[in-house]
Every structure is written in structure tokens, then in C-alpha cells.
Amino acid sequence: MGGGPGGLYAAALLKRLDPTREVTVWERNAPSDTFGFGVVLSDETLGGIRDADPVVYEALGRDMVRWDDIDVVHRGHRTTSTGHVFAALGRRRLLEILHARCADLGVRLRFRTEAPPADVLAAGHDLVVAADGVHSRTRETHADHFRPTITTHRCRYIWLAADFAFDAFRFETAETEYGVMQLHAYPYGPAASTAIVEMREEVWRAAGFDELDEAESTVRCAKIFAEALGGRELRSHRSAWTAFRTVVNEHWSHGNTVLIGDAAHTAHFSIGSGTKLAVEDALALAHSLRDHPDPTEALTAYEAERRPVVESTQRAATASLRWFEELAGHVDRPPRRFAFDLLTRSRRVTHANLRLRDPAFTATVERDFGCPPGTPPMFTPFRLRGLTLRNRVVVSPMDMYVAEDGVPGDFHLVHLGSRALGGAGLVMTEMVCVSPEGRITPGCTGLWTDEQAAAWARITGFVHAQAPGTALGVQLGHSGRKGSTRRMWEGIDQPLPEGNWPLVAASPLPYRPGVNQTPRALDRAGLTTVREEFTAAARRAAHAGFDLLELHCAHGYLLSGFLSPLTNHRTDAYGGDLAARLRFPLEVFDAVREVWPEERPMTVRISATDWAEGGTSDEDAVAIARAFAAHGADAVDVSTGQVVPDEAPAYGRSYQTPYADRIRNEAGVPVIAVGAISSWDDVNSLLLAGRADLCALARPHLYDPHWTLHAAAEQDYEGPAAPWPAPYRAGRRPPPTGRRN
């Protein structure tokens, strides 16, 4: 059902693998009808086509145009990056090739004919392939089984074409009086190019595109991007402004009916994956049916193989889509940094593979960043107030839950000491609680007694003596309504079986109703007490020798509970609008800053989103960061979530970094990025793109305490930003593996 590239190619492959099969394609449009102009296929996809059907591969090869360059044009400056391999051809030509191949193989093609409903077809056929597109009738009819989620995004775009060939894949921004607009253009023939114009919905309306017809929109777009087009016209073909929709389905098959292509999943056009995914779906489906004669088994195997690949592509596409949605926040970057940021937006292209593809371009970006010769970005120093960090790697705060009465012991000495010896520029403690009632669990560390301060001084003394140049930071916090729970491995967020202590919070809202206790809302006296507990802990932290102090205002703990509208329902001066919700956290920050040594930096960790409807918005997060910066915060540690239990995070590689990026570039404050940053390549990419100043990693440092030193060794770096401790120098090269004769 559906005669687009995915449906046609699936039909051809199924018939080719078994000529006795009767295969019919139903397509409601005429053979020559098509949407869009050019399609891009990767070498990987073409390789799969070559192996599955050399006839189609050879036909495609005769019409494909190939190029290596990407041009990024920004504020009159064109930056070219090479080494990117693209192959494209006209969508109409692709359909002609597939029509001919289907006809040669004996596939029945029924054009201008609406397919019967899928359940009707399923009753008389062994298999129904629903390739009926983003508006799939099959998916909607059986939504109770496929369980689709469709997200409409914030930009409008239109597919147009130009009757000449761009000499590269071209991205160009136009900063108009209405807002920022974007051109995505690429050649697909000797004298033909696709030109997609995209902009935020509010820019589209302000520019009056909502009142223009197809022809008027086409002329207007050509005028806006006249320089890119050399004054030439654009043309349209049933082109309409639309908002991209991301389609996700919980299930891809229902009985003997299976969804492929846009019916099953969509990926934003900015990573060129729509046709690619559909063709790869067809390949995988055909192979599954070859290997599993039973259709039910084949469809199960097909989905098991394809779903991880598709989900990875969709994550990359979502990152790319969001980058273009937030384009206005990127345009103030210098041209080469802007280009690097654009090229790495999806996280599939990184610093490391750009160095392989285009070493000259990457070297210029590194020089612009300030990398000394031979120094990776992550090993460039960074200054916060009176503290210079020798590199950009932070060991993120990680609760260990093994303290006795709040006193850190030998475990903490070894845990933090080993990470300090491992080369990170800054090592952070776990959340150190300011009072017994402010603990999360009985195993949390504290700084409410001099005994605890003395134990911390033992650890800072070790780090400063044995890992000179490593900074040690303390994170101060209060658990609020999330306190009095078991250690993580005994039942996360579950109350203690006995010995629970009373909780306080911004509002009397239990973390999990019916599970966690209801906290007492802090009154004026309680607010004063908590503020004084923070200042007393800060004084002890200073005397204990910590180099940096971070105020924990994230993850639903006490101060975070004041910031989020989901957890702060107060009607006094500390509740209501954002300015009021900020009041108490800022009072605590000011009190701590007053007693914390002037030359030592202070940072603040925030949850930039609650991942829940009605929670902290992107705009709120920027405003919160601005407020703390105005009160003297030297950097903002940008995390997300853990504020309410019914959150729905969009997990993925570096999934929290877009929030850090926005805060850094809108609020103008240094940021620490955190959240599934796992490789040194990610760290280098985030820094060079201007999305972060420092990168905090947690689990990688649990896996490898010497993560930073090993990152240096893997990049052949032996400079002052990653010195090996003298006793460890013999191990600064990976040991040989296997036998050597």
C-alpha cells in the first residue's frame, strides 16, 4: 500500500527473492506524481541496494550526482568543509527506476487506485506492507494496536527546486526583520537542486507567508535567498508550507500487516534520512522474509533488527531538528564556530571524524578556540574566578551513600582520591548535606559538624598533595521532600522501614503520594534556619580546603523544590511567578557567597526542565541562570529532571546538552554540561561547538577512574593538562595484547 520508494522497493525485492509470489502495489496517485525533488542516499544504503539487487544499483549509479563539500554561509561568510560523501538523484527518476524494475519482475502496479483497507487486504493476502506515508491511513485505522505518538514541531518548511546545480550541500541563514530563516540546498542532477526553506512558526507568520499562495511563497523565498541562487528563480510542484511531524509507533506490525517508511517512523529532513530509512526498511523486511518463512516470525525479526537503527537515527534527527528550531540562539557565534556547531548538531558528526574528513577546517576551529599546538580542546585550561582548571573535564557529583553519621570515611578518600589521580580538572563530591534532616539517606555525607569537616579536610589534603593541579569541589544541598529514604540499591526513593525523620519543603507535597511522607512547608523561621545551615556548612567547607562550592538547586531537592511550579504552590512571597520562586534559592546563594572566600568560585546546579507538563520551561531555565549569574554565580551546572516522579525524559547521547547550550549562549554565563556524555570525542565536540565550557561525566568515571588520563593517551597528548602521577608513568601507554613473536 503506497507507491513511494519504500513500497516500490519492497515489492521489487519480495518478487525478486521469490518469483512465484504475487505482489501488487496500490498507489492512489499517477506514476509521475511526486512530492519533493531530490533524494539523498548514503553509501551504506547504496551498498545494501547493490548487494540485494545489482540491476537497481546500476540504474541508480547512472543518474546519481556525488559531491564532498558542505558550504555554511553565515553573515556573508562562506565556510567550506570537505570530506563529506553525498549521493543524490531526482525523486521522480528514482521512482521511474523502481517502476521499471517492478514491471520487469512482474509486480502488478495499480496507479490512480486507492488501496482497500489493510484489514480487507490482509484477509486475502499473506502479507500487507503499509508504506502509505506520514499520514498513513493504516496506522490511524489500527492506532489502538500500533499505538503511534506523533509530535508536531515548531518550524514551517517548504520543498522547492532550482534549475541549476549547487556545487556543494549548502546551509545558509538569512537574518530578516521578521527573524531567522534557513536554506537547506543540494544538487540532485547536472542542472537541478533541491531548496528547502525553513523557519520558526512565529517568523513564518510575521513574514506573512501564512497569507501567500504557493506561487507567491516561491517568489518570496527566491528573493530572500537571492544571493545563494545567483538571482535565479525557484520553482515549486504541489509545494506547501508544513510543520514536520515525528512519527513513533510502539508496534510496527499487526497480524500480517507491517508498517514501513514514514508510516512507521519519520526523521527530520535535515539529516536526509526519510528515503534512506524507507529503502533500508524494504531491504531488512525482504531479508527477514527470506530467513523466516513464517510471516509472523519474519515481522518480529524485522522489527527487532530495524528498531534500534531507526531509534538511533530518530535521536540524531531530533537533535538536528531542535538545533534548527533554536537557530536564533546560534547565529551570534563566529562563522567557523557556527559552521562547526552546525556540522556536529546531530552528534553523528563529531570532532574526531571531522579531523579525518577535513583536518584543515578542524585545525582552524581549534586555533579559534585557543587550543595550544598539539592540544585537544578538552585539555585547554579554563578559569573560574581565582581558580584555573587545567582541563575541561569534571567528575560529576555522584552520591555514594556509605557515610556514617554524615562523616566521609576511607571509601570517600579512595573514591575521590582515585578520580583526582585520574587527571580530571575538577572533581566534585557527592551532595553534602547541611543538616541531619537534609540527608537523602542515612548514608549521605554532611558538613553540619566539625568532625565531618575534619574528615573532609583529610580528603582535600590528600588531593592537593598527591594530585597537585586537580581542584576539588563540594556540592552543598538539602534533600527537601526527597529525604528519609533508603540507599539507592535498597529501594530508590522508598521510605526507610524505620527511623524516618520529618521532612521540610517549599510546599506540603509528598514526592510519591501514598509512598513518601508529606513534608512540612517551611515557615519564616524554618527558612531562616535552613539558610543558616547552608552558611555554616559553607564555612566548614572553606576551612576544609575545598577549591569550589556548588549550590544544589536541581533534581527536586529543597532549593529545586522552590524553583519548579510543579513543587512550589506557595501563596506567600516565596511562591507564584518565577521571580518569587527564585527568592529563597537566591537568598541562600547570597548568604553562602558572603561567607565563601572571595577568590574561590561558586557554581549552581539546576534542572533546566522537569520533563513534565507545566514544569520549568526553557525560558524559565535561562531566566534562572541569569538570576544566579547576576548574584555572582561563576558557572551554571545544567542538569535536568528528577523533580517529579512522573517525568518523561527524552534520553539519549548527550541529551541534556541542548539546555546547557541555550543557557550559555542566551544568558551569557559559563556552563557545565552533563548527561550521557561518555566519550572524549563528545567532550571535544561540545566545547568546540560552543555548547559548553566544561563537561561533567559520572558513569564513565565509575567505569574508569583514570578516564581523563586514558583520553589523553588515546589522543597522543602528553602535555601539562593531563600529567600522570610519577608512580603511574610506566602505565601511560596501553599494555600490549596478545602474543608477540
Side-chain angles (χ1 to χ4, degrees), residues 648-665:
Y651 291 120
R653 180 166 144 237
S654 307
Y655 72 103
Q656 296 178 156
T657 58
Y659 297 95
D661 185 351
R662 180 166 182 174
I663 287 171
R664 181 183 189 273
N665 291 289

Side-chain angles (χ1 to χ4, degrees), residues 129-209:
V129 181
D132 47 351
V134 66
H135 301 291
S136 170
R137 186 181 67 176
T138 306
R139 183 187 65 230
E140 296 308 313
T141 301
H142 301 285
D144 57 335
H145 184 85
F146 293 118
R147 299 182 64 84
T149 299
I150 301 174
T151 305
T152 302
H153 298 284
R154 296 183 291 176
C155 284
R156 291 274 185 161
Y157 68 94
I158 188 169
W159 286 81
L160 302 169
D163 292 325
F164 72 96
F166 281 100
D167 54 8
F169 201 124
R170 187 182 182 103
F171 293 100
E172 181 162 344
T173 55
E175 295 176 71
T176 73
E177 60 185 301
Y178 312 106
V180 183
M181 304 178 187
Q182 176 68 33
L183 174 71
H184 312 248
Y186 58 88
Y188 66 86
S193 296
T194 291
I196 307 169
V197 177
E198 181 184 28
M199 65 197 73
R200 285 282 287 261
E201 172 91 17
E202 59 269 26
V203 177
W204 178 76
R205 291 189 182 280
F209 281 111

Side-chain angles (χ1 to χ4, degrees), residues 467-479:
T470 299
L472 191 62
V474 61
Q475 185 188 70
L476 291 185
H478 187 297
S479 61

Side-chain angles (χ1 to χ4, degrees), residues 11 14 196 318 408 425 471 488 507 523 565 604 639 649 653 663:
L14 292 171
I196 307 169
T318 298
M488 181 173 60
S507 298
D523 57 16
V604 178
S639 188
R653 180 166 144 237
I663 287 171

Side-chain angles (χ1 to χ4, degrees), residues 524-611:
R524 180 63 264 177
L527 293 170
T528 300
T529 297
V530 168
R531 188 185 67 217
E532 291 175 349
E533 288 170 345
F534 270 96
T535 56
R539 286 191 182 96
R540 290 190 178 96
H543 293 151
F546 285 104
D547 303 295
L548 174 148
L549 186 149
E550 180 165 281
L551 192 65
H552 200 338
C553 298
H555 301 166
Y557 298 123
L558 181 65
L559 299 180
S560 170
F562 277 85
L563 293 173
S564 172
L566 298 178
T567 52
N568 183 343
H569 293 180
R570 298 174 75 103
T571 57
D572 63 1
Y574 295 97
D577 63 14
L578 180 58
R581 301 198 307 272
L582 267 162
R583 185 167 283 118
F584 183 61
L586 289 174
E587 286 180 4
V588 173
F589 181 91
D590 290 343
V592 171
R593 181 68 267 183
E594 186 175 348
V595 302
W596 184 244
E598 174 64 24
E599 73 281 1
R600 300 187 207 178
M602 269 187 69
T603 63
V604 178
R605 173 169 277 206
I606 67 169
S607 285
T609 178
D610 299 334
W611 298 112

Side-chain angles (χ1 to χ4, degrees), residues 352-376:
N353 55 42
L354 267 178
R355 289 186 74 186
L356 292 174
R357 297 178 188 209
D358 193 347
F361 165 71
T362 309
T364 63
V365 178
E366 291 171 348
R367 285 197 299 271
D368 292 347
F369 182 76
C371 297
T375 302

Side-chain angles (χ1 to χ4, degrees), residues 41 83 109 268 291 308 465 471 573 622 636 651 697 728:
L41 297 174
L109 299 174
H268 192 249
D291 298 338
V622 174
V636 178
Y651 291 120
L697 299 91
Y728 289 179

